[in-house]
Amino acid sequence: MSFLRRRSAATPAGPDFDVLAMDPGDWPGVLGAGLLPAEDGTCQGVILRYDLFGGRGPAMVIGNLPPGSPARETEEDEAPFEVTQLLQALEMDDASVDAVTVTGTEDVPVMHDGNLLIVRRVTCSEDRVSCVQFDRSDGVLVTIASWDRPITEDLYRLLKPLPAELFRR
């Protein structure tokens, strides 16, 4: 997808893992999806962008990054990959995107489908960004970055696995 600004090899065939996201049929707006390819053509992540503003820009980016994905590697105060993707999709200039840093984190327990998740709320220097992260039992890191909307516990009820086949060509 054009909203992913990464150096990459050929587009991977698709992920080897299910993607935790909001089903596009259950959610209003436009959904865009991008795959992060590795040099060997394997999928190093799936990034979903939800445009809820009627074509005026994305409101949310959800990333599913498996263990070993380079997009998971950030410095201590560096914003998560999904936050930078959201800001770039909002057409912020590179200097503004690079200036956004993590100013704090807090672990919060949240229920999802009868299971307890430990969700890490990530506070960014850009206060219009809301961001949370959690690890799935299969090791995939899920990051949700939202623009100008808080991420509430209601959002977790909308998350469900979308089969990997949905992202295969």
Side-chain angles (χ1 to χ4, degrees):
M1 298 298 294
S2 61
F3 69 92
L4 291 174
R5 296 180 184 177
R6 305 259 315 154
R7 288 173 271 123
S8 63
T11 302
D16 293 328
F17 52 89
D18 287 345
V19 174
L20 192 61
M22 293 178 290
D23 188 321
D26 294 347
W27 193 257
V30 178
L31 169 69
L35 303 176
L36 298 175
E39 293 291 326
D40 63 1
T42 60
C43 180
Q44 293 297 305
V46 176
I47 307 296
L48 303 165
R49 181 176 79 181
Y50 293 89
D51 176 356
L52 307 177
F53 296 141
R56 291 176 287 155
M60 187 177 304
V61 171
I62 299 178
N64 288 259
L65 304 175
S69 175
R72 288 175 71 150
E73 299 170 14
T74 59
E75 299 296 322
E76 187 173 321
D77 65 345
E78 185 180 0
F81 178 73
E82 293 80 0
V83 169
T84 61
Q85 290 299 308
L86 177 66
L87 297 175
Q88 288 173 346
L90 289 165
E91 298 180 354
M92 293 185 135
D93 61 74
D94 289 340
S96 296
V97 171
D98 292 342
V100 174
T101 60
V102 171
T103 59
T105 61
E106 174 187 13
D107 289 342
V108 179
V110 172
M111 292 301 290
H112 177 260
D113 285 341
N115 296 312
L116 181 65
L117 289 176
I118 302 301
V119 174
R120 186 172 35 266
R121 292 188 190 271
V122 178
T123 306
C124 294
S125 59
E126 170 55 72
D127 61 358
R128 292 174 289 182
V129 172
S130 295
C131 182
V132 297
Q133 296 181 314
F134 57 90
D135 293 309
R136 296 184 349 200
S137 60
D138 60 359
V140 172
L141 174 66
V142 176
T143 302
I144 304 170
S146 175
W147 179 253
D148 214 18
R149 295 172 186 224
I151 297 172
T152 64
E153 289 193 28
D154 294 338
L155 176 67
Y156 301 105
R157 289 189 204 113
L158 298 173
L159 296 175
K160 59 181 84 171
L162 301 179
E165 292 77 37
L166 184 69
F167 301 96
R168 296 192 195 284
R169 290 184 177 222

